[in-house]
Amino acid sequence: MGIGTLAHAVGHLPLKQLTEKLSARGIEFVQLALSKAISDIDTSLGRLSPALANHIGEQFHRTGIRIGVLGCYINPIHPNPQQRRHEINRFKEHLRFARDFGTSIVATETADLTTYLAQDSERYETIGWAILKQTVEELAEEAERWGVFIGLEPVFTHTLSTSEKMVRILEEIPSSNLGVVFDPVNLLPPTAVVSQEAFLDQAFAAFGDRIVLAHLKDVVVQNDKLEAVRSGKGIFQTKLFLEKLHRVKPGIDISLEQLADDTIDETVQYVRSLLG
């Protein structure tokens, strides 16, 4: 399994400095959110090109790190249609140039479940779902055109809030270019803390075959709420998760989260020790 992390975990830096700093961290790949990680290149909407994507990808490759996934975390159900269109276009641009960066995955979450609560307290989930479906259908067409994957990341408090909803979107939009970014802690409801194995088994049974990337962190309980922390510092059954993940998706990339520059090395070593 490939071990990586967010490129901007080491800071918002010029490209050469960024890649050099990451090269010493013992990782195989990065999840690259362009504007969060690279400070000396304008990567805003309309600026990308095959040559620029190749240049960035080559800089990572020279230091022994590949770009495993582009992080383009848009709000696909933004209430402002103009802003939503801007974000959709930005994601589509990432899809078009993903392979020039050296990857085939562009990832996003799906925005807060309560986005339309103030507008309609009874139908807010239905409204959000309809807009999400419309957005993902458009993005899936673009992904199919370029032969790349959309990585949708379900989160307990977002529009894709459960394993069942993740399955539903995959069924309602039957595109082979839709995949799942599985972060078990993000999808873990508070009630499942004591029954993690059952939760993991249910999730893997529901969409395990569609996972294209795994995220990994840990969790603690604070004031009856779950709080994310880095791996090895909480109560998530990390070893159990990795064993199940390996059986379902051997060799898949795992991006470590909740890391800062000074915690990457220790956390990478911890996860590698669990992988044997």
Side-chain angles (χ1 to χ4, degrees):
M1 291 180 170
I3 301 296
T5 192
L6 303 171
H8 59 273
V10 300
H12 184 229
L13 301 168
L15 178 60
K16 190 172 187 298
Q17 184 180 345
L18 178 74
T19 55
E20 289 175 349
K21 197 169 185 180
L22 286 163
S23 69
R25 312 323 285 268
I27 56 175
E28 283 90 24
F29 77 95
V30 291
Q31 176 167 318
L32 178 61
L34 294 167
S35 61
K36 290 184 178 181
I38 301 172
S39 66
D40 61 338
I41 300 174
D42 183 358
T43 58
S44 59
L45 179 60
R47 299 295 188 267
L48 298 186
S49 66
L52 179 58
N54 277 322
H55 169 69
I56 293 171
E58 287 167 2
Q59 289 297 313
F60 278 93
H61 181 72
R62 286 172 186 160
T63 57
I65 297 174
R66 59 187 166 82
I67 299 171
V69 55
L70 291 178
C72 186
Y73 280 64
I74 65 170
N75 182 344
I77 63 167
H78 200 289
N80 184 307
Q82 289 75 31
Q83 181 62 32
R84 186 166 71 245
R85 172 48 50 192
H86 178 88
E87 298 197 28
I88 289 171
N89 288 343
R90 181 166 162 265
F91 197 95
K92 289 170 77 170
E93 186 177 65
H94 277 59
L95 291 171
R96 288 197 296 275
F97 296 111
R99 289 196 177 276
D100 295 305
F101 282 98
T103 185
S104 61
I105 308 169
V106 184
T108 187
E109 293 175 352
T110 59
D112 288 341
L113 184 65
T114 58
T115 297
Y116 291 92
L117 179 62
Q119 175 180 319
D120 190 325
S121 60
E122 294 183 358
R123 297 183 59 255
Y124 69 95
E125 287 191 52
T126 301
I127 295 169
W129 184 269
I131 295 174
L132 176 66
K133 182 180 177 182
Q134 182 181 25
T135 296
V136 175
E137 283 175 334
E138 180 177 345
L139 297 180
E141 289 181 5
E142 192 74 14
E144 290 168 358
R145 188 171 292 119
W146 297 94
V148 294
F149 292 95
I150 298 167
L152 292 177
E153 183 174 354
V155 180
F156 183 62
T157 56
H158 288 188
T159 310
L160 287 182
S161 57
T162 64
S163 298
E164 290 78 12
K165 287 182 179 178
M166 188 68 246
V167 171
R168 179 184 170 190
I169 199 76
L170 293 172
E171 290 177 344
E172 291 188 4
I173 306 174
S175 171
S176 299
N177 296 72
L178 282 183
V180 181
V181 176
F182 185 30
D183 184 329
V185 166
N186 276 357
L187 198 55
L188 185 71
T191 55
V193 170
V194 295
S195 55
Q196 293 181 36
E197 184 165 15
F199 158 75
L200 290 172
D201 286 342
Q202 188 269 337
F204 280 120
F207 54 72
D209 61 325
R210 300 295 292 273
I211 297 172
V212 293
L213 176 74
H215 282 177
L216 185 62
K217 54 180 175 276
D218 214 322
V219 66
V220 295
V221 180
Q222 296 280 5
N223 300 319
D224 297 323
K225 294 183 179 180
L226 301 186
E227 181 178 327
V229 295
R230 62 189 174 100
S231 289
K233 302 300 179 182
I235 59 173
F236 181 64
Q237 296 179 32
T238 304
K239 185 174 178 60
L240 176 68
F241 168 68
L242 292 173
E243 290 171 349
K244 292 179 181 294
L245 179 66
H246 177 68
R247 286 197 291 270
V248 174
K249 286 290 180 180
I252 198 167
D253 280 341
I254 305 169
S255 181
L256 308 183
E257 298 209 319
Q258 296 298 120
L259 301 187
D261 193 7
D262 60 350
T263 59
I264 294 175
D265 297 347
E266 179 186 342
T267 309
V268 168
Q269 290 174 12
Y270 168 71
V271 174
R272 286 200 191 285
S273 72
L274 297 181
L275 291 172

